[in-house]
Amino acid sequence: QAADHVRIVEVGPRDGLQNEKSSIPLDTKLELIRRLAQTGVTHLEAGSFVPAKWVPQMASTSNILEQILTNPPPAPHGIAYNYLVPNIRGMENLVKTLQTHKAQNANPSASVSGAPPTPPPSPGPSATTISSNPDELDANRSSSTSNSTEISLFAAATETFSQKNTNCSIATSLERCKPIVELAKQHSIRVRGYVSVALGCPYEGADVDPHKVASITATLLEMGCDEVSVADTTGMGTAPRTRKLLETLKDAGILNEDLALHFHDTYGMALVNTVVGLEHGVRIFDSSVGGLGGCPYSKGATGNVATEDLLHLLHSLGCDTGVDLLKMAEIGDWISHQLGRPNDSRAGKAVLAR
Ligand code: HMG
Ligand code: MG
């Protein structure tokens, strides 16, 4: 009997690093992405096109995108590299980076800076060939060996969190998502939506209305999001409330195939809630190597569930992820050391101690 396939979305380079106080060198971020690409993950959040004054750590994201396009990290298969965009300005900056890369690739001597032209990506299974031409992009997508660029936009389930995180109401944030989705579709870029604070809000408490989460999820899907990741930003979620939320989403007509779950592990409940999600039929889960992370606008919330812990759980249940736990554990240890913080993955530490 074929094992269930579960897709892991590795969010370490974005959610994992965005809250780190001391500036992380671009080379360290690129090295993290390069190492992760070799583990078997197929979906990787690489950065965020946010204003530096809101999230200083993500200021180098256009460089990261450019580097991934120019020198695609070697990988066993194509990877969807995802970037958070908070507004149309962020989306325009992302498209501009894609177009500049394409123009320089078409005419390598046309270097804006006057610096030597960057060599075109080497042909091969992991070459990124993103194009702003939708037809070419579709051709890329049809090949399982090509990388692609995706985006994530985000809304919140409570008014206070929406104001703190995006400086506007929920309704305004959803209105602002529409032109982003339109621009993404013009460029055949796949879109992920997030609904933050779905199981607890740092300002309004644990009692977030699941119907509100369902209606925002439905709005994002109707708008054209290809998938919505429902996020427990604060880690306040419990098994009964996770079950209730998933039942409410189902009653609202939202399909499991359109859903991902994004658990922060502040209270140590992320794996329990993952099992609830699996039993309900969800097959896409977000996680962060070494349990890195936190949201700058959710005080005290710690990292995402560690990818190593999630892999250990999923593999123990007979699920297939295609991701190598030992390689992931080594990266968790390496990046924790680079950041001068303890490794937050229990399975990661245990695997390395064997
Ligand atoms: P705002 O201040 O209202 O925006 O912020 P604005 O339009 O008034 O612009 C302010 C300044 O930023 C202007 O410059 C703009 O030009 C510039 P100034 O005139 O002051 O010199 N600007 C930009 N610069 C670069 N890139 C841009 C951009 N946009 C404007 N894209 C805004 C509104 C939405 C931009 C802000 O609130 C914001 O960036 N919020 C995002 C905060 C964030 O990144 N939070 C963490 C990510 S979400 C998360 O972690 C949750 C998740 O993991 C799921 C979960 O766990 O819940 C996804
Ligand atoms: Mg998060």
Side-chain angles (χ1 to χ4, degrees):
Q1 190 186 340
D4 259 337
H5 182 76
V6 172
R7 187 205 298 164
I8 302 278
V9 179
E10 170 59 50
V11 299
R14 194 280 305 172
D15 209 346
L17 299 186
Q18 71 182 5
N19 210 23
E20 287 292 320
K21 295 291 168 277
S22 51
S23 167
I24 302 164
L26 176 61
D27 281 350
T28 306
K29 294 178 186 172
L30 289 169
E31 178 63 15
L32 174 62
I33 292 168
R34 198 188 66 77
R35 291 182 186 221
L36 288 168
Q38 290 169 7
T39 61
V41 289
T42 53
H43 291 72
L44 214 163
E45 266 191 4
S48 194
F49 280 85
V50 287
K53 78 173 177 194
W54 279 77
V55 188
Q57 200 60 262
M58 293 288 109
S60 52
T61 294
S62 60
N63 296 326
I64 289 173
L65 171 56
E66 170 60 24
Q67 282 296 317
I68 289 174
L69 294 170
T70 308
N71 297 308
H77 42 59
I79 293 182
Y81 289 98
N82 191 300
Y83 301 86
L84 233 64
V85 294
N87 57 9
I88 190 69
R89 166 94 181 266
M91 185 64 199
E92 285 163 356
N93 289 346
L94 179 144
V95 170
K96 201 157 64 188
T97 308
L98 292 178
Q99 285 172 335
T100 305
H101 170 79
K102 191 182 171 212
Q104 287 184 345
N105 242 22
N107 178 13
S109 62
S111 169
V112 184
S113 62
T118 331
S122 56
S126 63
T128 302
T129 44
I130 283 296
S131 158
S132 58
N133 175 333
D135 294 337
E136 286 175 37
L137 206 72
D138 283 346
N140 289 339
R141 288 262 163 68
S142 64
S143 159
S144 61
T145 55
S146 300
N147 293 339
S148 60
T149 301
E150 299 188 354
I151 61 153
S152 288
L153 30 86
F154 44 102
T158 69
E159 287 298 344
T160 318
F161 192 82
S162 182
Q163 286 293 347
K164 299 276 185 192
N165 199 38
T166 51
N167 208 18
C168 64
S169 67
I170 297 172
T172 304
S173 79
L174 289 170
E175 274 308 306
R176 288 181 185 171
C177 287
K178 285 182 187 162
I180 304 176
V181 177
E182 274 166 30
L183 188 53
K185 297 286 160 184
Q186 278 169 29
H187 292 276
S188 297
I189 291 173
R190 191 170 178 276
V191 184
R192 190 168 214 247
Y194 272 108
V195 184
S196 287
V197 295
L199 286 160
C201 172
Y203 311 102
E204 298 188 21
D207 205 13
V208 176
D209 180 4
H211 295 97
K212 185 77 188 167
V213 179
S215 101
I216 297 169
T217 304
T219 304
L220 288 169
L221 289 169
E222 279 157 21
M223 202 184 284
C225 286
D226 298 283
E227 162 183 317
V228 173
S229 183
V230 173
D232 184 11
T233 317
T234 57
M236 286 164 146
T238 58
R241 286 195 298 106
T242 302
R243 193 170 296 115
K244 168 91 181 135
L245 174 60
L246 289 168
E247 279 162 8
T248 309
L249 290 164
K250 187 179 176 195
D251 291 347
I254 291 154
L255 304 175
N256 282 332
E257 65 206 55
D258 294 332
L259 271 187
L261 290 171
H262 177 108
F263 292 121
H264 284 258
D265 203 20
T266 316
Y267 290 83
M269 287 293 189
L271 291 184
V272 175
N273 296 336
T274 298
V275 172
V276 172
L278 283 168
E279 284 174 355
H280 188 83
V282 178
R283 291 293 179 267
I284 309 172
F285 292 88
D286 303 353
S287 60
S288 180
V289 66
L292 304 176
C295 176
Y297 299 96
S298 179
K299 196 165 177 283
T302 61
N304 298 84
V305 62
T307 308
E308 302 90 308
D309 296 354
L310 181 61
L311 288 173
H312 180 65
L313 170 76
L314 292 170
H315 296 169
S316 78
L317 295 173
C319 300
D320 157 52
T321 62
V323 183
D324 188 307
L325 171 57
L326 181 57
K327 282 187 185 162
M328 196 57 82
E330 285 165 350
I331 300 168
D333 212 52
W334 171 79
I335 189 66
S336 302
H337 187 72
Q338 294 294 314
L339 301 177
R341 52 175 274 166
N343 183 349
D344 268 346
S345 168
R346 297 167 87 160
K349 283 184 286 193
V351 165
L352 292 176
R354 277 210 297 253

